[in-house]
Amino acid sequence: MTCLVLMTICYVAGAVGSLGLPTGASRRLSSFAAAAGGVFGGVAALRVLITGQPVAFAVPSFVPFLSLPFRLDPLGAFFLGVIALVAIPAAIYGDEYLRGGPEQSPALVGAMLNLFLLAMSLATLAAGVLAFLMLWEGMSLASYFLVIAEGDSGEGQAAGRWYAGMAHAGFVLIAAALLMAGIHTSGLGFDEIRHAASALGPGTRNVIFLLALAGFGSKAGLVPLHVWLPRAHPAAPSHVSAILSGAMLKMGVYGILRIALDLLGGGPAWWGGLLLALGAASALLGVLYALMEHDLKRLLAYHSVENVGIIFMGVGLGLLLHSNGFEKLAALALVAAIYHTLNHAAFKGLLFLGAGAVARATGTRNMEEMGGLIKRMPQTAACFLVGSAAIAALPPLNGFASEWMLFQSLLSGARAAAPLSGALIMVCVGALALTGGLAAACFVKAFGIPFLALPRSRAAEEARDVGALMRGPMIALAAVCAALGVLPFVVVPFVARALMEMPGIDASGAGFTLRLSLSAAGGSSRISPLAIALLLALAVAAVPLLLRLMGASRRRRAGDLWGCGRVAGSARMEYTSSAFAEPLKRVFADLYRPTADITVEVHPESGYFTRSIHYHSRVRVWFEEVFYQPLFNLVKPLGSFGRLIQSGSVHLYLVYIFAALLIFLLLAR
C-alpha cells in the first residue's frame, strides 16, 4: 500500500511540477518522477506476485454514496509490473531525448507522460466500473497529447485524429460491455459482477464478450482495429512510443483477460476460437505490412500488431481449451501469452528506444537514408541487434522462449481438442511458423539497411552515438531480454502467478519441468535455453581459438571489397530496403496490390542518355479502403448533423443540460 501511495505521489508531483518550472528543471523533474513512480509501482507489483496477497482500498468519489474501489490482485500486479519495466528506462531516456527535440513543449510532454503512467497504472488496480472507465479515459486523453507532441505536421495531426477516434470508439464499447455486465448486480464493483455473472443468459454474455473484444481489441491494435497504431507510434516521441507499444497495448490484453476470464469465468469454445483466429490474422498481416515499410518506427509499429496477435493467439487458445475442460493445457497457453506480453514489453521498448537514437543522430526515420551506423553508433547498434534477434525469436533470447511455449501449447491443444477446433489450431500453427520466418527476414532488413554497409546520406555519415542517458536504458533492456530468454525456468513460474485467481485455471500445476530445461505438460519436446546460450557462447569463443591453433596471423589486414567490377564501391551499389522487400512484394502481390510511379529524366540533347530515374512504389492498405472509408462516408452526414447543435452559445448548452436533467428525473420516477 505504501508503495502504491508513493507511486501516485511521484506521478502527480511529476505532472504538476513540470508545468511550473523552467524547461531544463521541468524535464529533469518529470523524468525523475516518472522513473521513481515506475520503481514504486514495480515494487508493489512484485510484492503482490511474491506473496499472493492482494492489496485493497477504496477512495471516496465526488458522486455521493459511490466510492471508487481499488484492488491490486496478481493479474493487475503483473500488468503493473510490465508498465514499470518499460516506464523506468523510457523516463530516463526521455530526459536526454527531449533536449533540442521537435516537441513543442517539453514541459507539457513531461506532465502528460506522468499523467499517462498514473492513469494506466491505476487502471490495473481499479475494482469497479466507474473507477476503471475514468482511468481508462484519462489514459487515452493523456496519450493523445503525447501522440501529437512533435509539432503541427500533417502526419502528427492525422495520427492524433485516428488515435482519438479509435480510442473513444473503443471506450464507448468497453463502457457498454461493463455497464451491461453490471446492470444485473446490486453495484458496479467487479466483485458484484463476478458473483452475478453465472446468472447472466448466454446471449447477454456473448454480447458483453463481443463488445469487450472490440473495445479492448482496438486499444491492443488487433486487426482490423489496428489502423491507428502505424500512425500514432511513429508520430510520438520515441520514449513515448516505447511505452505505447511496450505497455499501453498490453492494457487491451489485460481488459480481455479481466472481463472474459475473470469477471465472466470463461465462455463457449467460439470465444477462444474467434480470439485465436484474429490473433493469427494480426500476427501474419502485421509482419507482412512491416516488411514493406522504409520508416523504421512505422516498421516497428506494424511488428507491434504482429506480436499482439501472437499474444492473443495464446489467450484465445487458453479460452478454447478452458471451455473444453483441458485446464492444464489452457494454463500453459495463457502462461505463454502473458510471458510473451512481458517479453514483448522488453524487446519492443528496446527497439523503439534504439530507433529514437538513430532518428536523433541522423535526423530521419527513413532507412533508405541511413547505412553504416554500426561504426558510428556501435553501442546503439549492439542493443538494436539484441532487440532484433529477440523479436525474431532467435535463441537464446526471450522472444524464442515464449514463442516456443506457445508452439507447445498449440501442438498439444491440436491433439486434445475436437476435430474442428484442432483443424483451426493447426492452421494457427502454420500461421505462427510463417510469421516467425517473415519476422526474421524483416529484422535482417531493419538492422542491415540502417547499420551495415556505407552511409547513404551525409547525415548518416556524420552521425554520432547518443549520450549515456539514452544508451544506458537501452543496455539495461538488452540485458533484460537476455535474462528473460536464458532463465525461463526461473521466470515462468513467477509469471504464472498472474493467473492465481483466475477461475478454473491452476497455473501452478501446469506441469512445467523447471530445472535447467523447460518442458510443458503434454508437450512434444523439451528445451534448455540456458544450454543453448552456453553452446552459442562456446561456439563464438571457439572460432578465434581455432584460428589461433591453425596459425592464423593476428595482424590486421586492409583491402578493397569486391565491387562487381567497379574500382570502388559506393552507397548507390548497396542493397536498398525496397530491393530487399521486392521478392516478397511479388509473392504477396494479391495482398499488397502494389502500385509504382517511374519518372525518367533524359539528357536534353539526346534521349539515349538518362539523367535521372525516380522510382516510387507503395502498397495499398486495403483495410482502410474496404472497411473504414465506407464507414466514414456513412458517418460523415451524421457528423454534419451533429455540428448543428454545436452552436457555441453557452445559453443553448445550458438548455441542453437542463433538458438532460429533466429527462433523467422523469426516468428515475
Side-chain angles (χ1 to χ4, degrees):
M1 182 68 186
T2 304
C3 288
L4 293 175
V5 173
L6 291 173
M7 177 191 77
T8 305
I9 291 173
C10 287
Y11 286 143
V12 172
V16 175
S18 61
L19 291 176
L21 293 174
T23 301
S26 167
R27 192 185 61 246
R28 285 189 290 275
L29 173 64
S30 63
S31 299
F32 173 78
V39 169
F40 287 120
V43 172
L46 284 173
R47 291 187 63 177
V48 171
L49 287 174
I50 291 172
T51 63
Q53 298 297 320
V55 177
F57 59 95
V59 176
S61 76
F62 52 86
V63 180
F65 310 111
L66 193 60
S67 64
L68 301 176
F70 291 91
R71 183 174 184 269
L72 184 62
D73 60 4
L75 181 64
F78 172 78
F79 283 91
L80 181 60
V82 169
I83 295 168
L85 174 67
V86 186
I88 297 169
I92 297 170
Y93 177 100
D95 181 41
E96 181 176 329
Y97 181 84
L98 291 175
R99 293 177 195 168
E103 295 77 15
Q104 291 182 322
S105 173
L108 182 62
V109 172
M112 289 297 119
L113 179 66
N114 279 276
L115 287 177
F116 174 46
L117 291 172
L118 174 65
M120 188 162 50
S121 299
L122 291 180
T124 64
L125 279 74
V129 173
L130 181 60
F132 185 83
L133 293 178
M134 288 172 60
L135 292 166
W136 192 270
E137 182 66 358
M139 176 181 72
S140 299
L141 286 175
S143 54
Y144 166 76
F145 287 105
L146 292 170
V147 167
I148 62 171
E150 289 194 345
D152 292 326
S153 66
E155 179 189 7
Q157 295 301 315
R161 287 194 294 272
W162 273 94
Y163 178 66
M166 295 300 293
H168 285 94
F171 174 80
V172 171
L173 296 171
I174 293 168
L178 288 172
L179 292 174
M180 185 176 288
I183 201 169
H184 299 284
T185 65
S186 57
L188 291 177
F190 284 174
D191 280 340
E192 289 90 344
I193 295 174
R194 195 176 290 116
H195 293 146
S198 58
L200 295 174
T204 305
R205 291 168 62 88
N206 291 337
V207 172
I208 293 171
F209 170 74
L210 290 174
L211 289 171
L213 174 59
F216 290 117
S218 69
K219 182 61 73 179
L222 200 63
V223 168
L225 305 169
H226 69 289
V227 288
W228 64 271
L229 201 153
R231 292 176 168 85
H233 286 197
S238 290
H239 63 301
V240 174
S241 302
I243 299 174
L244 289 174
S245 181
M248 192 190 75
L249 298 186
K250 312 306 185 306
M251 294 302 290
V253 181
Y254 168 77
I256 285 291
L257 287 172
R258 179 65 77 191
I259 289 188
L261 196 58
D262 181 26
L263 298 186
L264 299 181
W270 70 265
W271 287 15
L274 180 59
L275 280 178
L276 188 59
L278 287 175
S282 297
L284 198 51
L285 291 174
V287 71
L288 283 172
Y289 277 104
L291 275 161
M292 295 299 112
E293 284 297 332
H294 310 317
D295 184 316
L296 188 55
K297 288 182 68 177
R298 195 172 165 90
L299 178 149
L300 296 178
Y302 270 118
H303 271 287
S304 294
V305 177
E306 173 219 342
N307 281 277
V308 162
I310 292 173
I311 295 168
F312 269 87
M313 287 174 72
V315 174
L317 182 64
L319 288 175
L320 176 62
L321 296 172
H322 180 262
S323 66
N324 288 321
F326 302 107
E327 303 299 347
K328 287 189 175 182
L329 283 177
L332 176 63
L334 291 169
V335 170
I338 61 174
Y339 187 23
H340 197 71
T341 298
L342 178 65
N343 290 334
H344 180 249
F347 59 65
K348 188 50 70 68
L350 168 61
L351 288 169
F352 266 115
L353 296 187
V358 168
R360 275 298 153 88
T362 61
T364 180
R365 303 193 311 253
N366 187 355
M367 290 188 289
E368 304 285 27
E369 299 176 12
M370 300 176 187
L373 295 178
I374 194 170
K375 294 181 179 177
R376 291 154 183 81
M377 307 175 69
Q379 294 188 34
T380 299
C383 293
F384 199 90
L385 180 60
V386 171
S388 300
I391 197 172
L394 296 181
L397 295 168
N398 54 347
F400 168 77
S402 51
E403 287 197 27
W404 179 85
M405 287 185 64
L406 184 56
F407 268 117
Q408 290 298 303
S409 58
L410 285 167
L411 293 172
S412 302
R415 289 200 301 266
L420 186 60
S421 300
L424 172 63
I425 294 171
M426 287 310 297
V427 170
C428 292
V429 170
L432 184 59
L434 181 57
T435 298
L438 293 172
C442 190
F443 274 90
V444 169
K445 180 179 91 167
F447 180 79
I449 301 298
F451 289 100
L452 302 182
L454 297 172
R456 298 179 178 83
S457 66
R458 179 172 293 277
E461 193 172 354
E462 297 174 351
R464 294 291 180 271
D465 218 338
V466 292
L469 282 179
M470 290 175 70
R471 283 183 280 119
M474 289 190 284
I475 294 171
L477 283 174
V480 170
C481 289
L484 290 174
V486 174
L487 305 172
F489 53 90
V490 175
V491 179
V492 169
F494 192 72
V495 167
R497 295 183 185 180
L499 302 172
M500 286 174 61
E501 295 189 355
M502 295 296 104
I505 300 294
D506 183 10
S508 63
F512 302 109
T513 304
L514 302 168
R515 297 185 182 88
L516 287 180
S517 63
L518 181 65
S519 65
S524 57
S525 64
R526 177 177 296 183
I527 200 166
S528 173
L530 183 58
I532 292 175
L534 293 174
L535 287 174
L536 285 173
L538 186 62
V540 171
V543 172
L545 181 62
L546 287 174
L547 290 175
R548 188 69 181 275
L549 292 175
M550 293 169 64
S553 173
R554 299 181 63 184
R555 187 170 57 88
R556 178 177 295 180
R557 291 174 294 177
D560 294 330
L561 296 175
W562 180 59
C564 297
R566 299 184 65 135
V567 176
S570 71
R572 296 189 62 185
M573 300 168 61
E574 294 173 1
Y575 211 39
T576 64
S577 174
S578 301
F580 189 96
E582 184 64 25
L584 287 168
K585 189 188 293 182
R586 295 186 182 188
V587 171
F588 296 100
D590 289 338
L591 170 70
Y592 294 133
R593 302 178 186 181
T595 59
D597 299 323
I598 302 177
T599 305
V600 180
E601 183 182 359
V602 299
H603 196 280
E605 297 182 359
S606 173
Y608 293 104
F609 294 97
T610 302
R611 177 174 285 178
S612 66
I613 299 176
H614 295 279
Y615 174 77
H616 180 69
S617 176
R618 58 182 175 275
V619 297
R620 292 176 61 189
V621 185
W622 56 268
F623 287 102
E624 297 173 19
E625 297 179 8
V626 172
F627 180 70
Y628 288 98
Q629 196 58 49
L631 182 64
F632 292 158
N633 294 336
L634 181 66
V635 172
K636 196 171 180 180
L638 296 176
S640 301
F641 175 76
R643 292 178 63 183
L644 295 176
I645 63 174
Q646 187 185 357
S647 63
S649 169
V650 176
H651 300 89
L652 188 58
Y653 293 156
L654 290 175
V655 171
Y656 294 157
I657 295 171
F658 177 76
L661 287 174
L662 189 61
I663 292 171
F664 281 123
L665 287 173
L666 291 173
L667 291 175
R669 290 183 61 190

